[in-house]
Amino acid sequence: MRIIIAGMGDIGYQLAKQLSTENHDIVAIDLDHDRLSYTDQMADILTIEGSSTSIEILEQAQIEKTDLLVAVTSSEEVNIATAIIGKKIGAKKTIARISNAEYLNPKHGVNFSELGIDFMIYPEELSAIETVNLINRTAATDIIEFEGKLFVIGLKLDKNAPVIHKTISEISKQYSTFDFRVVAIYRNFRTIVPKGNDKFLPNDQIFVITKTEALETVLKLAGKENIKFDNIMILGGGKIGRRVASLLSNNMKVKLIDSNPEKAFELADALPNTLVIQGDGRDIDLLAQEGIIDVDAFIAVTEDAETNIISCLLAKHLGVKKTIALVDKVEYVPLTQTIGLDSLINKKLIAANNIVRFIKKGEIISYSSLEGIDAVVLEFIAQPNSKITSVNIAELEFPKDAIIGGYLRKDESYIALGSSKIIPGDKVVVFSLPEAVNKIEKFFK
């Protein structure tokens, strides 16, 4: 597939990084020479310095041969113009990053596909939804849901967790009546696709695929409990903070802190069920005065990553059960678990993941990378006569850097066992290190 990426900021770079390991013909366009120099380090990517709204630049990138044009610059107007122009002069499909929620509302009657934009990505909305999912699954560091029947959840093991110093085989035998499977262990900045003799150690972050009915058991094994949250404090009244407050305030008590007086007044009018406070969320006296010791979760989503990290660490020190930080600097992502944050949101990685889902065709119907670890969760549809349907899972000779976690068959969900046999039409959830993705795809074709 020939793909043009317009805008090599964090989203464009992450997208190029994810796609560069596959057999795509990628062209990167940006006005910034330094960004393109950084991209040049990746193999097999052609870089063009210039504006993506320039017809001459797009023609230089061979737009007429392009399967997909992705416009993810920091300017919504540039992205929309790029997608429209690109479609008119030859791109088969286009994606535009937007920053205006109105464009996603069908009631306004604007059909953007008629203008030439096939798919619009709004990172702030995606980030807000992921934040709400983490609040609803209180003990999880990460969560990916498959039709409400299968869940991949990340959990940090407490030192007193029942599984500590036990092997996966021992746990599987002890809890053989419960439907779950450990698909990864993250330890010392390394992702392990586990085997039966691997042991759980304190502070491991584990990833488990489970059915709804086994969730409570999995949480107990990790030394956690899924407490219902009632009181939430949000720092930052930007697009993400406002949307999270809107989604949570009907069922929970929500306090939102913003340092801008004008914005605080505006938020108070827009969010009638939220208590809006004007002040500095890094001020420990303010937090104490507003009852931070009584809140269940603290969410920091200001535009400043350092403010979000520091305020979450402060909240954790004061006894808050769960903290979630917006961390837009991708280089910070691997460090957050080690310094004591419960969960993080990176809107640029989330956006890149959603674009990859759109790009992946045919058998792959879902593609998610996990924040802070070098791994992906894929969902495939098993095709008739594909290798995955030929024998039982144990006999497949599946890549060692990947593991089949579970599958959906019609209205039922199943955790994968060695004796399980995939049939055509099954939706199969696979956990993989990035280097094994191309090998896995061949099993499903």
Side-chain angles (χ1 to χ4, degrees), residues 401-417:
D401 290 334
I403 187 169
I404 298 173
Y407 54 98
L408 298 161
R409 180 175 296 163
K410 295 182 179 178
D411 293 328
E412 296 295 324
S413 60
Y414 303 87
I415 300 300
L417 305 172

Side-chain angles (χ1 to χ4, degrees), residues 1-48:
M1 181 183 278
R2 184 175 181 82
I3 301 169
I4 296 176
I5 303 173
M8 291 310 296
D10 282 341
I11 294 179
Y13 180 79
Q14 288 301 319
L15 183 59
K17 186 178 176 182
Q18 289 188 32
L19 295 173
S20 64
T21 58
E22 304 174 22
N23 297 320
H24 295 298
D25 188 7
I26 300 173
V27 181
I29 300 175
D30 202 291
L31 286 164
D32 190 316
H33 176 77
D34 291 338
R35 284 178 176 172
L36 291 177
S37 299
Y38 195 43
T39 306
D40 272 334
Q41 298 171 16
M42 285 184 271
D44 302 323
I45 293 182
L46 173 66
T47 58
I48 298 175

Side-chain angles (χ1 to χ4, degrees), residues 94-298:
T94 62
I95 297 175
R97 173 192 178 185
I98 61 170
S99 55
N100 188 341
E102 286 183 329
Y103 294 158
L104 297 176
N105 193 334
K107 76 176 185 180
H108 293 307
V110 180
N111 189 334
F112 284 93
S113 62
E114 289 179 354
L115 297 175
I117 305 172
D118 296 295
F119 183 62
M120 291 189 294
I121 191 110
Y122 182 30
E124 289 77 12
E125 175 72 10
L126 296 171
S127 300
I129 291 169
E130 182 150 335
T131 301
V132 170
N133 287 340
L134 287 168
I135 290 295
N136 289 334
R137 299 288 177 189
T138 58
T141 60
D142 304 80
I143 184 160
I144 304 170
E145 186 175 327
F146 300 93
E147 298 183 14
K149 296 183 175 70
L150 282 177
F151 301 86
V152 173
I153 61 172
L155 297 163
K156 188 79 172 285
L157 293 185
D158 294 341
K159 61 182 179 181
N160 297 320
V163 298
I164 294 298
H165 300 303
K166 292 183 179 179
T167 65
I168 288 179
S169 293
E170 289 170 341
I171 295 299
S172 297
K173 289 174 185 175
Q174 189 175 351
Y175 295 89
S176 58
T177 58
F178 292 96
D179 286 329
F180 65 87
R181 186 173 193 182
V182 180
V183 293
I185 299 172
Y186 184 62
R187 178 187 300 154
N188 298 329
F189 300 100
R190 179 170 166 256
T191 305
I192 302 165
V193 177
K195 302 292 185 287
N197 59 354
D198 282 310
K199 284 188 176 183
F200 297 106
L201 300 178
N203 297 316
D204 279 353
Q205 187 180 7
I206 65 169
F207 293 87
V208 182
I209 186 165
T210 177
K211 296 169 71 170
T212 308
E213 53 267 32
L215 270 172
E216 293 301 322
T217 300
V218 170
L219 292 174
K220 287 176 183 174
L221 288 174
K224 310 285 186 182
E225 55 180 325
N226 210 40
I227 306 163
K228 186 179 184 302
F229 285 171
D230 295 311
N231 295 301
I232 309 294
M233 186 177 283
I234 302 170
L235 175 62
K239 292 174 182 176
I240 299 175
R242 179 190 296 234
R243 184 62 174 144
V244 171
S246 174
L247 291 169
L248 293 177
S249 58
N250 288 332
N251 301 312
M252 303 174 188
K253 294 178 183 176
V254 179
K255 291 181 180 179
L256 191 154
I257 301 173
D258 196 279
S259 58
N260 186 307
E262 291 181 8
K263 186 186 282 188
F265 278 113
E266 180 194 338
L267 290 167
D269 288 336
L271 300 167
N273 297 325
T274 299
L275 176 60
V276 179
I277 300 153
Q278 190 267 313
D280 185 349
R282 295 168 298 182
D283 183 347
I284 191 168
D285 291 330
L286 173 67
L287 294 177
Q289 185 180 331
E290 295 302 332
I292 192 170
I293 61 172
D294 297 320
V295 305
D296 300 307
F298 183 85

Side-chain angles (χ1 to χ4, degrees), residues 59-60 88 152 169 232 280 324 327 335 339 381 404 441:
E59 287 177 341
Q60 186 180 336
K88 292 295 182 185
V152 173
S169 293
I232 309 294
D280 185 349
I324 301 173
V327 181
L335 301 175
I339 62 175
I381 293 180
I404 298 173
E441 286 179 314

Side-chain angles (χ1 to χ4, degrees), residues 415-434:
I415 300 300
L417 305 172
S419 58
S420 302
K421 190 172 190 296
I422 304 299
I423 64 173
D426 284 353
K427 297 176 182 177
V428 185
V429 179
V430 178
F431 188 98
S432 172
L433 300 187

